[in-house]
């Protein structure tokens, strides 16, 4: 019964009761191969024993204290992330949009504290997605997300993703920062061009502008690197991470270098739940697994395998499948029939779950623990669907 739930979503009738690895099991016992991971969330699959054990153990000890008090697991997670990334300081939140809110505030606050109070404008990219809060929809500027909610521009501008001239044209004396996804997810899987990204960094440095990466979807080993920027050779000033870091438990983090993070002092920002003992214990358990070099290598190998199998499929069915894109286990394929129609047949007839993305594409975001056999199984179903269309 969904009558008492706001009609923001339109889920199908199927009701999942359990999850095991790469599979979801419905109330009638049917098993579904899950290449969605709850949109890049269940990074270690459903009910990974290491994460379940950590959560159960913490649940018996302490759930919540608020940030009025020290949180041991949050301190440990922040130190580990600082060692593994460019960042010096972290702010823990509960969702990707919230982590982005923190990052956007930090970008503006940096200039404010440095006496450059006119620098309030932040440039977002076409086809981007940063969440559903007022500021994050304004940052992406996508009319579908903004309509009826954004009466003005909230000091956000947009530039064309991948086009350095468009970014140059959008920059003014009032620009505080630039936000982009190193691998765009919702807009269709698009990996940022390395040269373009280097030019973006240079342009920011030349103009005293901060650079913020949204790795809410592409972070936490999904790209085959702990964070995708590590493969792209450009460091941001601020980076946001969510989804996979909690593997299904609400946890997000806004990371910043000291130059920016030092301005987020007492009174500037806060969160009741952000970084609580349960969430950050889970985050540490996830990090135990995903930060191992062998794990990251396996994600890259399986991602390459998935992409090569999809390219074979596109050669075999050129009227159905088109361009394959992505990195690691964040992969998309353009399709000719309506992507939503294909998704429904895959789900209802073949019990394979995938995600739609912009540019009429299908998105594959399996648990990072997916096996090659499960990838083969996806490909078989995609071939059968192609025969039908
Ligand atoms: N940023 C990106 C790149 C995302 O893909 C998403 C969610 O899909 C978000 C931000 C928003 O995250 P959340 O839904 O946890 O607020």
């Amino acid at each position: 019964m969904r009558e008492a739930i706001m009609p923001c979503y339109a889920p199908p009738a199927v009701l999942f009761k359990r999850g095991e690895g790469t599979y979801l099991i419905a109330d009638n016992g049917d098993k579904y191969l899950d290449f969605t991971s709850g949109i890049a969330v269940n990074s270690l699959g459903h009910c990974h024993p290491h994460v379940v054990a950590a959560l159960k153990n913490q649940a018996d000890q302490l759930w919540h204290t608020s940030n009025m008090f020290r949180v041991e697991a949050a301190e440990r997670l922040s130190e580990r992330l600082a060692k593994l990334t460019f960042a010096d300081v972290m702010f823990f939140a509960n969702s990707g949009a919230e982590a982005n809110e923190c990052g956007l505030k930090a970008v503006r606050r940096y200039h404010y504290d440095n006496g450059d109070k006119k620098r309030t404008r932040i440039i977002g990219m076409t086809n981007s997605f940063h969440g559903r809060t007022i500021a994050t929809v304004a940052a992406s500027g996508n009319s579908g997300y903004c309509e009826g909610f954004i009466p003005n521009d909230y000091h956000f501008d947009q530039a064309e993703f991948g086009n350095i001239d468009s970014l140059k044209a959008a920059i003014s004396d009032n620009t505080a920062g630039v936000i982009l996804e190193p691998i765009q997810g919702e807009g269709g899987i698009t990996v940022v061009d390395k040269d373009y990204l280097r030019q973006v960094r240079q342009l920011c440095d030349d103009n005293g502008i901060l650079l913020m990466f949204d790795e809410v979807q592409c972070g936490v080993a999904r790209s085959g690197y702990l964070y995708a920027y590590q493969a792209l050779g450009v460091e941001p000033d601020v980076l946001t991470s969510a989804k996979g870091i909690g593997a299904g438990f609400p946890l997000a983090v806004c990371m910043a270098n000291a130059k920016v993070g030092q301005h987020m002092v007492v009174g500037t920002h806060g969160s009741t739940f952000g970084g609580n003992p349960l969430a950050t214990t889970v985050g540490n358990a996830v990090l135990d697994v995903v930060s191992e070099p062998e794990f990251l290598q396996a994600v890259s190998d399986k991602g390459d395998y998935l992409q090569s199998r999809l390219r074979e499929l596109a050669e075999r069915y050129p009227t159905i499948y088109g361009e394959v894109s992505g990195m690691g286990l964040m992969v998309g394929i353009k399709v000719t029939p309506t992507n939503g129609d294909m998704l429904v047949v895959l789900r209802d007839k073949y019990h394979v779950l995938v995600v739609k993305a912009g540019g009429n594409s299908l998105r594959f975001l399996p648990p990072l623990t997916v096996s090659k056999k499960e990838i083969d199984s996806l490909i078989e179903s995609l071939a059968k669907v192609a025969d039908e269309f």
Side-chain angles (χ1 to χ4, degrees):
M1 288 305 190
R2 292 184 50 85
E3 280 76 10
I5 293 180
M6 275 195 199
C8 296
Y9 308 106
V14 63
L15 184 62
F16 295 118
K17 290 289 220 182
R18 281 190 306 117
E20 285 172 15
T22 312
Y23 288 90
L24 281 168
I25 296 113
D27 53 355
N28 64 359
D30 284 352
K31 274 180 96 174
Y32 289 69
L33 183 63
D34 184 9
F35 269 69
T36 71
S37 309
I39 317 189
V41 168
N42 306 98
S43 46
L44 298 179
H46 297 282
C47 302
H48 189 283
H50 182 61
V51 180
V52 171
L55 180 62
K56 282 185 172 164
N57 181 44
Q58 186 61 42
D60 281 336
Q61 295 182 51
L62 182 66
W63 288 31
H64 180 80
T65 56
S66 119
N67 290 300
M68 284 191 298
F69 302 102
R70 291 177 58 188
V71 178
E72 193 177 12
E75 290 177 9
R76 181 160 175 257
L77 184 56
S78 63
E79 281 162 16
R80 294 176 77 191
L81 287 171
K83 279 207 183 85
L84 291 163
T85 69
F86 75 98
D88 301 302
V89 286
M90 322 290 149
F91 179 89
F92 292 110
N94 312 287
S95 67
E98 276 180 75
N100 281 334
E101 288 276 348
C102 176
L104 296 167
K105 281 177 74 173
V107 165
R108 285 185 178 160
R109 189 69 188 206
Y110 165 85
H111 295 290
Y112 180 90
D113 282 358
N114 283 311
D116 215 349
K117 294 191 180 160
K118 67 179 188 319
R119 282 201 194 247
T120 54
R121 301 196 70 87
I122 296 175
I123 301 172
M125 297 290 159
T126 50
N127 291 326
S128 63
F129 184 74
H130 301 297
R132 295 290 203 154
T133 61
I134 297 280
T136 54
V137 293
S140 97
N142 181 321
S143 57
Y145 301 132
C146 291
E147 193 178 342
F149 302 118
I150 308 292
N152 57 48
D153 66 17
Y154 285 91
H155 290 216
F156 286 94
D157 297 297
Q158 273 78 38
E160 190 190 337
F161 186 62
N163 178 344
I164 199 70
D165 292 328
S166 167
L167 183 61
K168 278 182 193 159
I171 288 175
S172 74
D173 290 347
N174 301 336
T175 303
V178 170
I179 177 172
L180 64 84
E181 297 154 83
I183 308 176
Q184 287 193 330
E186 302 298 308
I189 304 285
T190 311
V191 183
V192 73
D193 179 77
K194 273 189 187 180
D195 285 339
Y196 163 76
L197 198 61
R198 264 195 290 274
Q199 291 178 58
V200 172
R201 179 74 265 183
Q202 192 62 51
L203 204 51
C204 287
D205 291 346
D206 292 348
N207 290 281
I209 294 167
L210 297 175
L211 181 58
M212 172 170 166
F213 289 167
D214 177 342
E215 292 219 24
V216 167
Q217 190 163 149
C218 66
V220 197
R222 185 147 293 275
S223 67
Y225 293 77
L226 188 59
Y227 287 98
Y229 83 85
Q230 293 166 327
L232 299 166
V234 173
E235 283 191 359
D237 298 293
V238 178
L239 181 148
T240 52
S241 178
K243 291 187 183 269
I245 190 72
F249 201 95
L251 174 63
V253 53
C254 174
M255 313 183 190
N257 58 23
K259 169 177 124 174
V260 178
Q262 66 179 326
H263 297 283
M264 297 305 279
V265 296
V266 173
T268 54
H269 200 51
S271 166
T272 296
F273 294 121
N276 90 357
L278 281 178
T280 45
T281 294
V282 169
N284 276 303
V286 171
L287 202 60
D288 291 342
V289 181
V290 301
S291 61
E292 285 297 321
E294 307 78 56
F295 185 89
L296 293 165
Q297 187 59 51
V299 171
S300 282
D301 293 346
K302 289 182 290 188
D304 291 348
Y305 182 68
L306 172 58
Q307 286 210 35
S308 73
R309 298 278 346 245
L310 287 170
R311 288 207 174 89
E312 277 167 29
L313 202 66
E315 271 175 32
R316 191 165 142 207
Y317 297 100
T319 57
I320 304 290
Y321 296 117
E323 190 191 333
V324 176
S325 60
M327 192 173 162
L329 287 168
M330 183 168 178
V331 176
I333 189 165
K334 290 233 179 336
V335 296
T336 312
T338 308
N339 55 1
D341 294 345
M342 294 186 81
L343 177 147
V344 169
V345 176
L346 275 165
R347 182 189 67 217
D348 294 346
K349 192 159 174 193
Y350 298 106
H351 289 184
V352 172
L353 306 173
V354 299
V355 196
K356 284 192 296 183
N360 201 42
S361 50
L362 293 177
R363 224 180 331 164
F364 309 105
L365 302 164
L368 306 177
T369 48
V370 69
S371 66
K372 285 193 174 168
K373 213 167 138 223
E374 287 161 345
I375 292 173
D376 290 339
S377 178
L378 165 82
I379 300 294
E380 258 173 54
S381 299
L382 288 172
K384 286 183 190 154
V385 172
D387 284 332
E388 284 187 34
F389 276 81

